[in-house]
């Protein structure tokens, strides 16, 4: 029986600097049929970040215009900047039956959960400790000490939300964390709600 599956959503959240982007790069080598949701943000690009690859970098006016036009599935103010997920590319990828991967904050997770609960699986990612988060943010060398302090302050709040998520990954050993995330991405595609009930039942009867 070949059952056509609906698209699914995998949400990753966790303190800035815990290693979400690094982990995702490893995971992409091992999974297929996915679409990474490129967010729109008003924050400035970091060195090496590319418009249309890492983010769509826009002005506050452009972002607020998109809000007015109802272009976002969700958006939030994070660390003083707007971040949002545009609805159109997500709908297209879901219609193609893809696994749509989001790297969004805890506020965004709550919004998407409330809107699309049946097709959402979520993972909270963190470092083994706050001290290690500070080390990673410092050694990444992309943000000023003021920006890092702000991210650390937010991280202390964000960690309290980890039980809102289906899974927790403590990104200590990168290889181990990658194996865990690949397993979760794979099992996400087997959620019962992703199958067409009439099709499964009818095929099974025949
Ligand atoms: P995020 O996307 O969550 O903001 P990054 O992927 O940019 O975080 O990672 C932050 C820093 O931590 C980077 O310098 C990255 O190389 C490093 N890093 C990521 N995962 C690990 C790990 N398991 N062990 C040690 N360093 C890591
Ligand atoms: P950074 O500036 O480090 O790339 O991201 C900062 C935070 O914003 C991270 O927690 C990241 O998950 C979150 N983020 C990135 N894109 C989005 C988005 O589209 N929506 C929401 N709500 N959060 C986002």
């Amino acid at each position: 029986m070949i059952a056509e599956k609906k698209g699914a959503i995998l949400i990753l959240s966790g303190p800035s600097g815990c290693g979400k982007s690094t982990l995702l790069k490893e995971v992409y080598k091992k999974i297929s049929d996915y679409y990474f949701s490129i967010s729109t943000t008003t924050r400035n690009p970091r060195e090496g970040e590319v418009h249309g690859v890492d983010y769509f970098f826009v002005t506050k006016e452009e972002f607020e215009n998109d809000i007015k036009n109802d272009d976002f599935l969700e958006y939030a103010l994070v660390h003083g900047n707007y971040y949002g997920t545009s609805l159109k590319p997500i709908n297209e990828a879901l219609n193609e039956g893809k696994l749509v991967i989001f790297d969004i904050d805890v506020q965004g997770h709550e919004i998407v959960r409330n809107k699309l609960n049946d097709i959402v699986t979520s993972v909270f990612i963190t470092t083994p400790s706050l001290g290690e988060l500070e080390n990673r943010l410092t050694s990444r060398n992309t943000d000023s000490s003021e920006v890092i302090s702000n991210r650390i302050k937010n991280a202390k709040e964000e960690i309290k939300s980890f039980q809102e998520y289906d899974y927790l990954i403590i990104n200590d050993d990168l290889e181990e964390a990658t194996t865990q995330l690949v397993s979760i991405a794979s099992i996400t595609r087997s959620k019962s709600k992703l199958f067409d009930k009439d099709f499964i039942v009818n095929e099974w009867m025949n």
Side-chain angles (χ1 to χ4, degrees):
M1 169 163 58
I2 302 167
E4 235 180 65
K5 279 189 222 167
K6 291 185 209 163
I9 290 177
L10 180 62
I11 299 181
L12 265 58
S13 301
S16 178
C18 71
K20 298 180 296 295
S21 320
T22 309
L23 252 174
L24 279 176
K25 273 192 201 123
E26 294 305 310
V27 168
Y28 295 153
K29 296 176 191 164
K30 298 182 179 182
I31 64 170
S32 56
D33 218 17
Y34 68 87
Y35 170 81
F36 175 68
S37 165
I38 303 165
S39 297
T40 300
T41 184
T42 58
R43 91 149 154 73
N44 291 325
R46 292 183 189 127
E47 213 183 302
E49 282 185 330
V50 178
H51 180 80
V53 175
D54 301 285
Y55 281 104
F56 294 105
F57 297 98
V58 300
T59 61
K60 194 162 169 256
E61 290 68 36
E62 287 170 313
F63 199 102
E64 285 173 345
N65 213 29
D66 287 353
I67 298 176
K68 265 195 223 130
N69 291 333
D70 253 346
D71 283 345
F72 291 117
L73 167 63
E74 65 75 34
Y75 69 91
L77 256 181
V78 190
H79 316 133
N81 284 302
Y82 278 127
Y83 292 81
T85 307
S86 297
L87 192 53
K88 197 165 158 248
I90 301 306
N91 278 338
E92 283 167 6
L94 287 175
N95 286 336
E96 288 166 13
K98 296 228 163 83
L99 175 67
V100 184
I101 302 177
F102 292 66
D103 171 348
I104 59 176
D105 85 320
V106 292
Q107 306 169 75
H109 167 253
E110 196 180 339
I111 298 168
V112 180
R113 260 277 165 221
N114 288 335
K115 289 189 177 174
L116 297 165
N117 186 44
D118 280 357
I119 63 167
V120 169
T121 299
S122 62
V123 193
F124 192 90
I125 300 176
T126 187
T127 48
S129 65
L130 182 63
E132 176 59 14
L133 184 69
E134 285 187 86
N135 289 342
R136 287 188 195 172
L137 280 170
T138 312
S139 62
R140 186 169 69 183
N141 210 16
T142 52
D143 301 295
S144 66
S145 54
E146 197 191 344
V147 168
I148 291 179
S149 306
N150 192 249
R151 280 161 192 256
I152 295 287
K153 190 172 137 243
N154 285 322
K156 291 182 193 167
E157 283 307 309
E158 286 164 339
I159 187 74
K160 294 178 191 162
S161 301
F162 83 87
Q163 286 191 323
E164 307 290 321
Y165 290 73
D166 298 312
Y167 299 100
L168 171 69
I169 294 181
I170 296 172
N171 175 24
D172 189 359
D173 178 70
L174 184 62
E175 210 177 305
E176 199 182 318
T178 303
T179 305
Q180 289 174 337
L181 191 51
V182 169
S183 306
I184 294 168
S186 156
I187 208 70
T188 295
R189 316 278 355 227
S190 295
K191 274 176 96 90
S192 62
K193 294 270 172 38
L194 300 181
F195 295 85
D196 185 312
K197 185 174 167 187
D198 291 342
F199 177 87
I200 295 285
V201 174
N202 289 336
E203 285 286 304
W204 185 84
M205 296 283 188
N206 287 323

